[in-house]
Amino acid sequence: MARQRRADGPGDASPVRLIVIAVVLIVLVLVSLRLLPGSPFESTAAATWGVPAGPAERATAAPSDRSSRPSPTPTPSPTPEPLPFEAKDLDLDIEGWYSWSVLDRRSGEIIGSDNMDETSTTASLIKAWIVADYLRRADDAGQTPSDARLADATKIIRDSDNTRTEQFYNTLSRSASIKRLISICDLTDSSVASDGGWSRTKLSPRDTARMGACIADGRAAGPKWTKWLVDEMRLVRGGGDFGIRKAFPAAERKTIAIKNGWIDRTREQEMHINCLAIGDTWTMGVMVRYPIGKGYEYGMKNCQKITEALLRPTT
């Protein structure tokens, strides 16, 4: 005989089912309390459900509109000190040709006369490069010049010794050294002398200022010898100590490195006087040419006169 199936009624629920139902009811109640405003069980999560956040939540919530955020105030860049020179047209009572240029070592900016790209023969001014070229090449070859050679270099810079200059120039393969100058220092106006000699190298005042910057920043003499060379140029003495730095107060002159050139060109019947100076933030080149009969002093004083005319007035 087959057994008859009995339908379960409400009173027949099993204990396990009752427990599950009770747990579900409790969870629903708790969730309702967390979503009810003002309830002690209220959650900050309610904000995500469209319920306005309370004061604490509003304080910590990130603003949705970035444009309302205060912008940081940029720190202004300090204004660099102006150079001691002013760009101006000069109309000086100077016989012959003259030209000048100043380079800002901080920016590379160059100012100068309209003819600052015209060239003249350098005479002894080029000796600063010859010594720099010698020192850099020695260091590149892993060599340290002897004390005797450094003493020769000192004589070339401080006293403008021609004999020692010629010896160094021969060591440097003569005009090949000037070609290195033009390449390493990025000169644009200058050229090797037709006879290959150092004295007739042609530089412009603009390229003279560039050569000064090349010495100052280490390209010319290299990192090992730059300070030594610039210090020697600050110690130029005797007949070679004239021109640009003489236009400055005495206390400043000792900080300015120089190398000048002066020669009477009998072929052209001209005096060629040239001045290079290196300051803390600038370099300068001044060149003058005039009839040979006026002598050296005329050009030496005019190199200073041109510099004085370009200096900013002191307050």
Side-chain angles (χ1 to χ4, degrees), residues 122-134 153 155-157 159-166 168 172 178 198-199 211 215 229 233 259-262 276:
T122 62
S124 294
L125 182 146
I126 200 65
K127 293 172 182 177
W129 165 258
I130 292 173
V131 170
D133 196 30
Y134 169 78
K155 292 289 288 182
I156 292 172
I157 297 298
D159 302 315
S160 207
D161 186 286
N162 288 335
T163 301
R164 289 175 171 86
T165 300
E166 190 69 18
F168 272 52
L172 297 169
I178 307 304
W198 52 266
S199 178
M211 187 180 84
I215 292 171
L229 176 57
M233 293 173 68
K259 193 72 191 88
N260 297 320
W262 61 104
L276 163 67

Side-chain angles (χ1 to χ4, degrees), residues 78-275:
T79 302
E81 287 290 326
L83 296 182
F85 308 97
E86 292 181 301
K88 62 176 71 172
D89 293 329
L90 299 182
D91 185 13
L92 304 176
D93 184 20
I94 296 176
E95 186 174 349
W97 172 91
Y98 64 91
S99 179
W100 63 274
S101 183
V102 173
L103 182 148
D104 188 331
R105 290 175 53 191
R106 300 163 299 185
S107 65
E109 181 183 2
I110 298 175
I111 60 173
S113 55
D114 290 341
N115 60 350
M116 66 179 173
D117 60 339
E118 295 180 14
T119 62
S120 191
T121 64
T122 62
S124 294
L125 182 146
I126 200 65
K127 293 172 182 177
W129 165 258
I130 292 173
V131 170
D133 196 30
Y134 169 78
L135 293 171
R136 187 196 69 261
R137 286 170 62 81
D139 189 50
D140 287 348
Q143 302 169 354
T144 299
S146 65
D147 290 343
R149 289 299 263 174
L150 288 177
D152 288 341
T154 291
K155 292 289 288 182
I156 292 172
I157 297 298
R158 295 192 198 182
D159 302 315
S160 207
D161 186 286
N162 288 335
T163 301
R164 289 175 171 86
T165 300
E166 190 69 18
Q167 292 170 352
F168 272 52
Y169 195 57
N170 288 333
T171 300
L172 297 169
S173 300
R174 299 185 66 77
S175 60
S177 177
I178 307 304
K179 292 177 182 178
R180 286 191 292 271
L181 162 64
I182 294 170
S183 174
I184 291 172
C185 298
D186 297 322
L187 308 189
T188 59
D189 313 319
S190 305
S191 60
V192 175
S194 58
D195 63 2
W198 52 266
S199 178
R200 282 191 173 270
T201 299
K202 289 188 176 181
L203 254 62
S204 65
R206 179 168 63 181
D207 277 354
T208 298
R210 285 170 172 159
M211 187 180 84
C214 189
I215 292 171
D217 66 23
R219 284 175 290 159
K224 182 176 181 179
W225 292 104
T226 294
K227 183 180 184 303
W228 183 93
L229 176 57
V230 172
D231 285 345
E232 288 296 310
M233 293 173 68
R234 292 190 177 111
L235 297 173
V236 169
R237 58 199 174 192
D241 185 10
F242 63 86
I244 295 171
R245 75 175 174 188
K246 292 291 188 179
F248 287 81
E252 293 183 43
R253 293 175 194 169
K254 63 182 179 181
T255 68
I256 299 173
I258 64 169
K259 193 72 191 88
N260 297 320
W262 61 104
I263 193 168
D264 51 341
R265 295 292 185 199
T266 55
R267 184 194 310 170
E268 295 89 350
Q269 285 295 291
E270 292 176 335
M271 299 294 299
H272 291 196
I273 310 294
N274 312 297
C275 299

